[in-house]
Amino acid sequence: MAGKNNDYTDKELLRLFRDSNSKDYAFNLIVKKYQERIYWHVRKIIIDHDDTDDILQNTFIKIWSGLENFREASGLFTWIYRIATNEALIFLKQKKRRYILPLIDVRKQLADTLETDQYFNGDEMQLKLQKAILTLPGKQRLVFNMKYFDDMKYEEIAGILKTSVGALKASYHHAVRKIEKYLTKY
Amino acid sequence: MNDMKKANNNLSKINKDNPFQIPEDYFDDFPLRLSEKIHARKAPGIYEKYLLALRPYMAIAALFIGVVIIGTIFYNVFSPEKNIQESKTNEIAEIISEDAYYLSEESIIEIIYMNDVVHEDEQAGDSKDNLTNEVIDYLINEEIDIIDIIDAL
């Protein structure tokens, strides 16, 4: 048995969750273990803190509902990341549909949010980089954030996005080139 | 490959620290807020449970009603009788529109008059049939044999 709090492995947490006596306790540990990583992953996609908070809650509610039937075809970490990513992408799609906005306008709206967001404290270059990232197509944006900021392995990203390592490498390569071009231009 | 290195070099000049911030104690409060939200989600009561159990039957009933309504509408719109009636009316309208040019008022009156005469004939035929039936009924009721009548003649 592992030590206290988040020293539990994912397998141990799952075993605790499946025991009705420790279900709530195990879920609380899972939330504490992953909330920060998932929050920052979603925040980089959604930009706005309040929207990210909503998505984070929805993500963990889905995890709570689905964890009993989780068959461990992938790791818990991968599964949670996948749910969070899907929730974030669905949110952006709904936003686009709600305001009948093309995706490019949604990105512009996110860039405007960056400039006015009280919870963004980056310098001029960091703001420029975030704006450059927002110009990337959806999947490239995800790949760039996960690789560049979260320093995740290609194999991990491949498991979450259900794609090949080769495709991810190419995607990251294109993303870096586009960002560089943007940084030079503006 | 050199472009990639150059790009990465330029990127590396940018501070990689997280530029985003969160409200104070956000991650400390989050598990509690989440837990409250999960447990506040209403567990289905008895009424909801029955409603859930009846849902498939209600769906079938709604489907049946829908089929009946659509069928009735379809029948009323596309029924053959109506089609025949409509096509006859259209035919007559077509004939009138084509031939009206050649028809005088007198000829139309004549056609209507002839039509009435034909109907009168048909009605007369009907009254003859009625008379025959009455005679037959009388003979049967009075038990008069048709052969006796022939002999009497």
Side-chain angles (χ1 to χ4, degrees):
Chain A
M1 172 70 77
K4 56 175 180 149
N5 271 351
N6 290 349
D7 292 342
Y8 286 106
T9 64
D10 286 350
K11 280 201 179 298
E12 285 167 337
L13 288 171
L14 284 172
R15 192 179 48 76
L16 282 172
F17 184 83
R18 281 168 191 148
D19 181 348
S20 56
N21 293 323
S22 54
K23 188 177 177 176
D24 284 353
Y25 172 68
F27 185 69
N28 198 37
L29 291 181
I30 291 170
V31 173
K32 281 181 178 168
K33 183 173 181 178
Y34 286 111
Q35 60 175 354
E36 285 197 40
R37 290 184 74 178
I38 297 300
Y39 174 89
W40 292 120
H41 172 63
V42 174
R43 179 78 185 268
K44 283 184 209 109
I45 303 169
I46 303 297
I47 306 294
D48 181 69
H49 164 74
D50 292 328
D51 291 338
T52 305
D53 180 51
D54 286 343
I55 292 165
L56 192 66
Q57 287 186 44
N58 289 342
T59 300
F60 278 109
I61 288 169
K62 288 210 166 146
I63 290 164
W64 167 262
S65 310
L67 202 55
E68 232 159 280
N69 299 319
F70 177 55
R71 294 283 165 258
E72 297 179 66
S74 58
L76 180 63
F77 157 81
T78 306
W79 185 66
I80 291 175
Y81 248 77
R82 202 181 290 152
I83 292 173
T85 307
N86 285 341
E87 284 293 309
L89 296 179
I90 288 167
F91 175 86
L92 287 181
K93 270 186 193 166
Q94 282 172 343
K95 194 170 186 176
K96 182 183 147 195
R97 210 176 296 148
R98 204 180 307 142
Y99 299 108
I100 322 169
L101 290 172
L103 197 61
I104 197 146
D105 285 342
V106 174
R107 284 187 206 138
K108 193 184 173 303
Q109 212 178 41
L110 294 178
D112 293 342
T113 306
L114 266 176
E115 285 180 1
T116 55
D117 190 0
Q118 57 169 323
Y119 296 120
F120 183 82
N121 197 32
D123 58 29
E124 199 184 328
M125 282 310 286
Q126 283 174 310
L127 178 65
K128 209 168 161 183
L129 174 60
Q130 287 300 325
K131 283 184 176 177
I133 295 168
L134 284 173
T135 63
L136 298 174
K139 200 172 173 186
Q140 271 183 28
R141 210 174 129 207
L142 282 172
V143 175
F144 182 83
N145 280 333
M146 289 160 111
K147 186 70 194 157
Y148 184 78
F149 289 110
D150 302 340
D151 219 7
M152 287 170 76
K153 290 176 185 163
Y154 281 119
E155 286 74 16
E156 284 177 325
I157 303 172
I160 293 160
L161 301 180
K162 288 186 172 175
T163 188
S164 69
V165 170
L168 286 176
K169 282 182 180 172
S171 194
Y172 183 70
H173 175 79
H174 286 300
V176 170
R177 283 180 71 127
K178 281 180 193 169
I179 286 170
E180 175 61 20
K181 210 171 171 182
Y182 182 97
L183 293 175
T184 316
K185 195 174 172 185
Y186 296 99
Chain B
M1 199 64 186
N2 286 334
D3 287 347
M4 182 82 168
K5 275 181 187 169
K6 193 180 162 189
N8 275 326
N9 285 340
N10 283 332
L11 268 174
S12 66
K13 287 177 192 165
I14 298 174
N15 184 358
K16 214 176 169 180
D17 289 345
N18 185 0
F20 296 101
Q21 290 182 323
I22 47 166
E24 217 180 318
D25 299 329
Y26 174 74
F27 289 122
D28 293 333
D29 298 341
F30 182 78
L32 184 66
R33 280 197 301 126
L34 179 70
S35 174
E36 281 169 0
K37 194 166 180 179
I38 286 173
H39 290 107
R41 289 170 83 203
K42 200 178 149 197
I46 292 171
Y47 177 72
E48 281 87 356
K49 275 181 185 171
Y50 277 119
L51 210 62
L52 279 175
L54 286 174
R55 195 184 279 180
Y57 302 106
M58 286 162 77
I60 291 168
L63 185 71
F64 179 73
I65 291 167
V67 167
V68 168
I69 290 170
I70 291 168
T72 308
I73 292 168
F74 191 81
Y75 180 78
N76 284 336
V77 173
F78 299 107
S79 69
E81 276 178 29
K82 196 172 181 185
N83 280 348
I84 289 166
Q85 211 174 344
E86 272 181 8
S87 64
K88 271 186 180 172
T89 312
N90 290 338
E91 210 173 301
I92 291 163
E94 208 171 295
I95 290 165
I96 289 170
S97 66
E98 278 178 9
D99 296 344
Y101 182 76
Y102 303 104
L103 292 173
S104 63
E105 197 179 336
E106 287 80 18
S107 61
I108 292 170
I109 292 167
E110 195 181 334
I111 288 165
I112 294 169
Y113 172 74
M114 286 305 290
N115 198 34
D116 288 347
V117 169
V118 169
H119 282 299
E120 270 174 20
D121 275 354
E122 282 172 1
Q123 282 165 5
D126 287 347
S127 61
K128 271 181 195 169
D129 287 346
N130 289 339
L131 185 63
T132 310
N133 288 334
E134 277 173 30
V135 170
I136 291 167
D137 287 343
Y138 174 77
L139 292 174
I140 292 167
N141 290 335
E142 297 298 323
E143 293 182 342
I144 300 169
D145 194 339
I146 188 87
I147 295 163
D148 292 341
I149 296 170
I150 292 166
D151 287 346
L153 291 172

